Amino acid sequence: LRNFPFFQDLEKEDLDKLSPLFLTRTYEKDTDVFREGEAGDELYIIHSGIVKIYRDDEVRDIILAIFRDDDFFGEMALLGNEQVRSASAKTMEKTVLYVLKRKDFVSLVHDTPKISLRILETALDRLRKTNEMITDLTMRDARTRIIKMMHRLIEKHGVSQKSGVLIDLKLTHQQIADMTGTVRETVTKVLLDLQNQQAIEVKKKKIYICNLAEFERLVET
Ligand code: CMP
């Protein structure tokens, strides 16, 4: 647990107390961890793998966030007034999760101000990103939304390579559409355009941004 940013402020004796409370659970790719509206009784920390947080109706999905190792999720149903899941969570590849039960999580938050602060900081960062997303959805055209989304993905999923950055996520055009409030055909067109301009390359479903400085100029314009 020491390796998780979440726990790095804890004293060794607190960590020793905490470790046995975690269960480990393995999920195959494309498996629901939970669905929006279900009662929630557990918090999850990602040991390995990728999880998408999304909302859906019969017609389409909207992806709110994509989490990977070291991220946690599921805290809202445990700390918020509404005790149900505010969104669904599904694995995008085989994933191993650490699971903490509500009562253990709540006593951890009560007993450890540093952990509470970290949860608050993370929740506020997520709120800030969601605000950005709402602004983009209402004020930007689809091409700009897609470019800004790629730029946002770099923060968590970017790996530097040569002069550029690889977004280390296998994404379908449909998933990019679900993150940017557009349709698959538009994503296909915008990605082709950006490839023709040599701004990006797509390698095995992963997007490589060829030159970060130049790409950032695209984000600004
Ligand atoms: P919970 O409501 O228990 O279940 C869904 C989880 O998704 C939620 O807790 C948060 O951990 C996470 N989540 C919900 N909304 C967002 C968002 N806008 N951005 C990032 N994560 C979110």
Side-chain angles (χ1 to χ4, degrees):
L1 292 181
R2 166 66 71 210
N3 296 331
F4 283 96
F6 201 66
F7 294 120
Q8 74 196 7
D9 298 324
L10 285 190
E11 304 296 335
K12 182 171 182 316
E13 68 184 89
D14 289 330
L15 263 181
D16 290 344
K17 265 191 273 169
L18 201 59
S19 302
L21 304 178
F22 277 93
L23 313 168
T24 307
R25 234 180 259 157
T26 304
Y27 295 80
E28 292 306 317
K29 183 178 177 200
D30 287 329
T31 311
D32 281 326
V33 181
F34 53 70
R35 297 273 310 162
E36 179 186 341
E38 286 175 6
D41 195 34
E42 296 173 336
L43 171 92
Y44 305 88
I45 299 176
I46 304 178
H47 169 266
S48 58
I50 297 182
V51 174
K52 72 169 176 179
I53 303 293
Y54 68 105
R55 302 187 68 156
D56 62 340
D57 59 20
E58 290 101 72
V59 187
R60 59 193 298 175
D61 288 357
I62 167 131
I63 299 180
L64 297 169
I66 297 180
F67 294 142
R68 63 191 312 144
D69 33 304
D70 290 0
D71 284 322
F72 68 86
F73 61 95
E75 78 293 353
M76 285 168 68
L78 307 190
L79 294 178
N81 292 328
E82 303 266 346
Q83 306 214 326
V84 297
R85 298 300 183 190
S86 61
S88 305
K90 182 181 263 184
T91 58
M92 289 173 65
E93 49 180 58
K94 187 173 178 175
T95 296
V96 179
L97 298 178
Y98 287 136
V99 184
L100 190 62
K101 291 285 178 192
R102 173 194 294 271
K103 68 172 184 356
D104 297 324
F105 175 62
V106 171
S107 39
L108 178 71
V109 168
H110 274 283
D111 299 346
T112 335
K114 279 183 175 166
I115 294 251
S116 317
L117 206 56
R118 257 179 200 276
I119 293 168
L120 186 61
E121 282 165 5
T122 309
L124 295 182
D125 282 345
R126 291 175 183 175
L127 180 59
R128 187 186 295 270
K129 288 211 180 78
T130 303
N131 289 354
E132 272 175 36
M133 252 172 69
I134 293 175
T135 312
D136 289 354
L137 284 171
T138 48
M139 305 211 290
R140 311 278 181 209
D141 59 275
R143 181 177 190 271
T144 311
R145 294 204 297 272
I146 293 167
I147 290 172
K148 290 185 79 160
M149 176 56 66
M150 285 192 254
H151 192 248
R152 217 170 286 136
L153 287 174
I154 292 172
E155 196 183 311
K156 192 181 284 299
H157 306 280
V159 183
S160 291
Q161 273 186 12
K162 295 184 226 151
S163 59
V165 185
L166 180 76
I167 298 173
D168 192 16
L169 272 180
K170 280 189 182 158
L171 292 170
T172 62
H173 291 188
Q174 185 60 53
Q175 285 167 330
I176 297 172
D178 294 343
M179 281 191 275
T180 50
T182 183
V183 292
R184 188 174 49 77
E185 291 79 0
T186 305
V187 172
T188 304
K189 185 177 167 303
V190 170
L191 292 189
L192 263 179
D193 257 18
L194 291 170
Q195 286 177 88
N196 288 336
Q197 290 176 2
Q198 277 144 30
I200 64 166
E201 285 168 22
V202 180
K203 303 175 182 171
K204 295 186 190 156
K205 287 202 187 153
K206 293 184 184 179
I207 294 168
Y208 174 68
I209 291 164
C210 306
N211 183 319
L212 188 56
E214 266 174 40
F215 191 78
E216 278 173 348
R217 271 197 287 281
L218 279 183
V219 178
E220 282 157 19
T221 51

